[in-house]
Amino acid sequence: GISGRKLNGGTTVAGTMILAHRAGIKVFATGGLGGVHRHGENSMDISADLTELGRTPVAVISSGCKSFLDIPRTLEYLETQGVGVSTFADGRTGNVDFPAFLTRESGVKSPTVVRDEKEAAAITYAQTSLQLSSGLLFGNPIPLKYSLAKSRMDAIMTEAIRSAEQHGMSGSDNTPFILGKIRELTCGDTVAANRALVESNVLRGTKVAVELSKLELRDHSVLARTLNSSSSTKITGSNTFRSPKDEKVDVLVAGSLAIDLSCDYTPLFELSTPKEAYKPALRTSNPAFISQSLGGVGHNVATALHHLGTPVSLCSAVGEDAAGSTAKNKLIENGMRIDAIEIIPNGSRTAQYVAFNDAAKDLIIAMADMKILEDDSPGGFSRWKAHLHRCQPKWLVLDANWHTSMLREWVTAGKSLGAKIAFEPVSSEKSVRLFVCISNPLEALLPLVDLAAPNEFELLAMSNYVRKHDEFHCPNLLSMMTDSANPSNLPFQYSISLGRSLIRYSSIALVDRQVPQNVLALLPFIPCILTKLGSEGVLFTELLYQGDSRLTLQEEEPYIFGRPLVEYKGGINALAGIYMRLYPPAETVTPDQIVSVNGVGDTFLGVIVAGLAKENPKPLRELIEIAQRGAIMTLKSREPVSPDISSLRSAL
């Protein structure tokens, strides 16, 4: 109760409508509806059910209202409240009566008639599309077998009402008294009738809900209602569903939306020493903790942006299947827009991702079924092209799950709008798609993208691809530059070894693994690279152009890796230096603190882009440590993106 005492209780139709709407339930069935009591024009005794129907967008299935109420005034009041009222024909033709609870006939014609559940669902669907705030009432007559004759009910009602008046019943005491009197006068016939009408209404409501779900799956562009629901995920950002009228966004994310399965190996016995013992055995079953969540790289980056309050739109695709419906509903529940989530028919499957992790939560292997994004048919990009142009994003974030031809379309369209482009490589195998999709990179507008955030293995795959393909041959940056710390002022190939130079800006271990060397191979095509190194931190490497403040700041001098011997104007105009800086981890995370590695890198990129998309963004070098903190929050969370990153808003 309000006073804090634990009480048992039920809810009225009005109360249930509020709870249903907060839970995202659009259809609910009940027994009978409250209404305007007889002489209500004097007593003003009007059920709160009617006013709630006027302000809560839920479709209610009921057997009309009790026959001792003033049904004509009840219907008139509902009309004033803007509530659509219909009655199921239930096998009848022509105009039918609005039901009166225990009897199918009330003597009052229903405002409108619906033939079946499909028609009722279509009405509900249309109202959802219009985003009206009022509800709908569908009268479902009691099954014919249990319906009491109208003449008998009229006589019983007259007696019950007379008795109530004699006993001075009014207000909240009136209805229970009259119902008890009716049960007494019908010798208990109302008990079976009550049960039958409730069962009938539940069945009817279920069928309406099923038909409504089919309509929503068929046409994804309908605007679903805002769901102020409680869920296991803390809702952050705006919970208001943005309509396509609110087109412009700061960031548009184009990438995968998937159902993720995470399988964490959980050995039966406590592990002591060798790290090999942390790994599951091959060719047999292993004990594990398996969890399911909504994921996909594109989804995770967009979710991070949403948590941080950045106006964002996710462009992706789902199948016409249960997984697709689940994915869209979860997005709506989290207050994210779905107007650019395309439903691909004809047997296409919603993307799925399965990760197998060892006992330390480190990824062993993952399998991804992303075929739904690998459509290379002509015109495939047209599904999203108009949306991209309407959104006019400052930043376009692409993941490598798209087919190479689609990726080319996205890159070209993004550049034509003047949007900055961030690239998430996704995996070693898919990371090279950025280069495969460009037929002649030297004729393309370099850079290919503005920023990329690969891990070490994705970085290696991309650099190897560039080195092995002649079409990506371009002037060697290092031949044009001298080491800032080398007083000889000679090009790198004539000065101290490149490896020894790079150690000062990274680490011995990273140079031994060729990490900074691989970054340098990609800089002509991607001028800003954030290499995610897990427990070793982040290696930030960026081309510097004339006018960059870092070139003159003394505190930045230790990170200026190279300066040009002469002004270099090839594909890179006004090059003035290379910035390379290794950021250590923001926090040391112990194995027992790690909950899931899924989505950690996506969270990092999402925080970075959220900062860069601000009206007056901080320098990227100041955003990295903030993004690392966000990634750690996800590392400690079961969610693919920790809702706790919303606490970083002020830092951005």
Side-chain angles (χ1 to χ4, degrees):
I2 296 176
S3 63
R5 290 182 297 156
K6 292 184 177 180
L7 301 172
N8 294 322
T11 54
T12 61
V13 171
T16 309
M17 284 186 72
I18 294 171
L19 296 174
H21 179 52
R22 288 186 65 83
I25 297 170
K26 299 174 185 175
V27 181
F28 97 82
T30 185
L33 188 76
V36 178
H37 283 255
R38 299 193 185 197
H39 310 301
E41 69 275 21
N42 298 317
S43 67
M44 297 302 293
D45 192 352
I46 301 171
S47 171
D49 296 350
L50 306 188
T51 51
E52 201 60 48
L53 268 167
R55 63 191 179 195
T56 304
V58 174
V60 177
I61 314 292
S62 81
S63 294
C65 55
K66 280 82 171 179
S67 51
F68 58 83
L69 298 171
D70 189 330
I71 294 178
R73 281 195 170 91
T74 296
L75 295 178
E76 187 65 35
Y77 190 91
L78 287 170
E79 182 182 357
T80 301
Q81 294 291 315
V83 178
V85 179
S86 299
T87 299
F88 285 100
D90 201 37
R92 299 168 292 180
T93 58
N95 292 340
V96 301
D97 279 8
F98 182 74
F101 198 53
L102 296 175
T103 178
R104 294 167 69 88
E105 313 299 334
S106 65
V108 181
K109 295 301 179 184
S110 176
T112 58
V113 179
V114 290
R115 289 173 297 174
D116 52 29
E117 293 85 358
K118 286 185 178 180
E119 199 166 289
I123 293 171
T124 306
Y125 184 68
Q127 187 180 18
T128 301
S129 305
L130 294 171
Q131 294 186 292
L132 301 179
S133 60
S134 56
L136 293 167
L137 175 63
F138 293 102
N140 183 39
I142 185 173
L144 186 59
K145 176 182 177 182
Y146 294 94
S147 178
L148 301 181
K150 182 178 182 301
S151 57
R152 182 187 178 196
M153 280 304 302
D154 286 346
I156 291 171
M157 285 300 149
T158 300
E159 174 61 24
I161 293 170
R162 185 188 62 79
S163 180
E165 291 174 348
Q166 287 178 346
H167 286 80
M169 294 298 170
S170 63
S172 60
D173 295 329
N174 192 44
T175 297
F177 180 88
I178 291 179
L179 290 176
K181 195 66 177 178
I182 291 171
R183 183 167 59 249
E184 175 189 326
L185 294 173
T186 58
C187 301
D189 289 348
T190 57
V191 176
N194 263 301
R195 184 181 296 113
L197 70 83
V198 169
E199 291 175 352
S200 174
N201 292 347
V202 169
L203 180 60
R204 182 83 76 179
T206 301
K207 291 179 178 178
V208 171
V210 169
E211 295 300 327
L212 177 60
S213 178
K214 290 178 181 177
L215 290 172
E216 291 177 338
L217 280 173
R218 187 192 69 188
D219 185 0
H220 72 284
S221 65
V222 169
L223 299 176
R225 294 192 183 283
T226 299
L227 301 181
N228 297 318
S229 68
S230 58
S231 71
S232 59
T233 302
K234 182 166 60 180
I235 306 302
T236 59
S238 170
N239 280 343
T240 303
F241 186 83
R242 296 188 186 94
S243 77
K245 293 178 182 177
D246 306 321
E247 287 297 351
K248 287 194 175 182
V249 296
D250 289 345
V251 182
L252 188 144
V253 180
S256 61
L257 172 62
I259 302 298
D260 283 359
L261 277 176
S262 181
C263 308
D264 297 336
Y265 175 50
T266 54
L268 298 177
F269 305 102
E270 186 176 348
L271 298 173
S272 49
T273 44
K275 196 157 184 184
E276 284 302 315
Y278 281 67
K279 300 185 182 299
L282 300 178
R283 301 180 181 86
T284 186
S285 64
N286 291 270
F289 177 83
I290 301 176
S291 59
Q292 178 176 297
S293 62
L294 185 60
V297 172
H299 161 266
N300 294 345
V301 174
T303 299
L305 287 156
H306 176 67
H307 285 326
L308 293 164
T310 304
V312 60
S313 177
L314 172 62
C315 292
S316 192
V318 296
E320 198 171 16
D321 51 20
S325 177
T326 298
K328 288 179 62 180
N329 287 337
K330 189 65 176 175
L331 287 175
I332 298 167
E333 180 183 314
N334 287 353
M336 298 175 68
R337 57 191 290 176
I338 62 167
D339 51 305
I341 307 299
E342 288 285 334
I343 294 180
I344 311 299
N346 304 322
S348 295
R349 287 161 44 90
T350 297
Q352 297 188 52
Y353 173 86
V354 183
F356 298 90
N357 306 316
D358 62 21
K361 306 295 193 307
D362 289 330
L363 180 67
I364 299 173
I365 191 172
M367 297 291 183
D369 178 359
M370 302 288 167
K371 292 184 178 63
I372 195 165
L373 291 185
E374 297 179 353
D375 176 19
D376 61 344
S377 59
F381 177 66
S382 63
R383 298 186 180 101
W384 296 279
K385 186 175 182 179
H387 180 77
L388 172 62
H389 280 262
R390 288 193 298 267
C391 285
Q392 294 288 311
K394 299 176 186 175
W395 277 86
L396 171 62
V397 181
L398 301 174
D399 79 28
N401 282 304
W402 297 99
H403 188 275
T404 52
S405 62
M406 289 285 283
L407 199 56
R408 182 189 303 118
E409 296 264 24
W410 278 112
V411 170
T412 303
K415 286 183 176 180
S416 71
L417 293 175
K420 296 284 188 180
I421 302 176
F423 178 64
E424 169 50 59
V426 174
S427 69
S428 298
E429 186 173 352
K430 293 180 178 179
S431 64
V432 301
R433 286 178 171 174
L434 178 64
F435 300 95
V436 174
C437 81
I438 304 299
S439 55
N440 189 347
L442 297 183
E443 292 180 4
L445 290 174
L446 292 178
L448 300 182
V449 296
D450 298 279
L451 180 150
N455 62 28
E456 182 178 344
F457 306 105
E458 294 157 355
L459 177 75
L460 175 62
M462 290 192 290
S463 61
N464 283 344
Y465 186 91
V466 167
R467 290 187 180 106
K468 291 177 182 177
H469 290 78
D470 292 339
E471 65 267 29
F472 288 97
H473 174 74
C474 67
N476 188 344
L477 285 178
L478 298 181
S479 67
M480 306 288 181
M481 308 195 77
T482 181
D483 184 0
S484 299
N486 178 20
S488 66
N489 200 36
L490 291 173
F492 273 111
Q493 62 261 49
Y494 300 118
S495 66
I496 57 177
S497 70
L498 173 62
R500 287 176 59 191
S501 295
L502 288 172
I503 289 173
R504 287 197 301 272
Y505 305 95
S506 56
S507 71
I508 294 174
L510 293 180
V511 170
D512 286 345
R513 302 202 304 270
Q514 300 285 303
V515 172
Q517 296 94 315
N518 291 336
V519 171
L520 294 174
L522 295 177
L523 279 182
F525 310 100
I526 309 172
C528 179
I529 300 175
L530 298 167
T531 308
K532 298 172 292 192
L533 299 166
S535 60
E536 293 175 274
V538 174
L539 183 63
F540 172 32
T541 312
E542 185 177 24
L543 292 180
L544 299 180
Y545 300 96
Q546 289 180 2
D548 193 303
S549 62
R550 284 170 288 182
L551 294 167
T552 57
L553 293 175
Q554 186 175 358
E555 62 267 26
E556 297 292 353
E557 184 63 31
Y559 311 115
I560 308 296
F561 166 61
R563 295 180 185 268
L565 291 168
V566 294
E567 185 179 2
Y568 170 46
K569 292 185 178 180
I572 307 169
N573 190 31
L575 178 67
I578 298 175
Y579 188 90
M580 184 177 289
R581 181 175 178 178
L582 179 62
Y583 285 75
E587 176 186 332
T588 300
V589 182
T590 59
D592 61 297
Q593 292 178 300
I594 299 174
V595 177
S596 174
V597 296
N598 290 351
V600 174
D602 306 334
T603 302
F604 176 83
L605 179 58
V607 178
I608 290 289
V609 175
L612 294 175
K614 295 288 185 183
E615 191 67 32
N616 297 300
K618 289 184 176 182
L620 178 53
R621 62 187 183 276
E622 295 180 19
L623 296 173
I624 292 174
E625 191 271 337
I626 302 171
Q628 286 179 302
R629 283 156 51 196
I632 289 171
M633 290 176 186
T634 292
L635 190 64
K636 297 177 180 180
S637 170
R638 181 57 62 184
E639 300 292 337
V641 177
S642 172
D644 293 337
I645 69 170
S646 61
S647 63
L648 300 175
R649 287 190 189 187
S650 59
L652 294 175

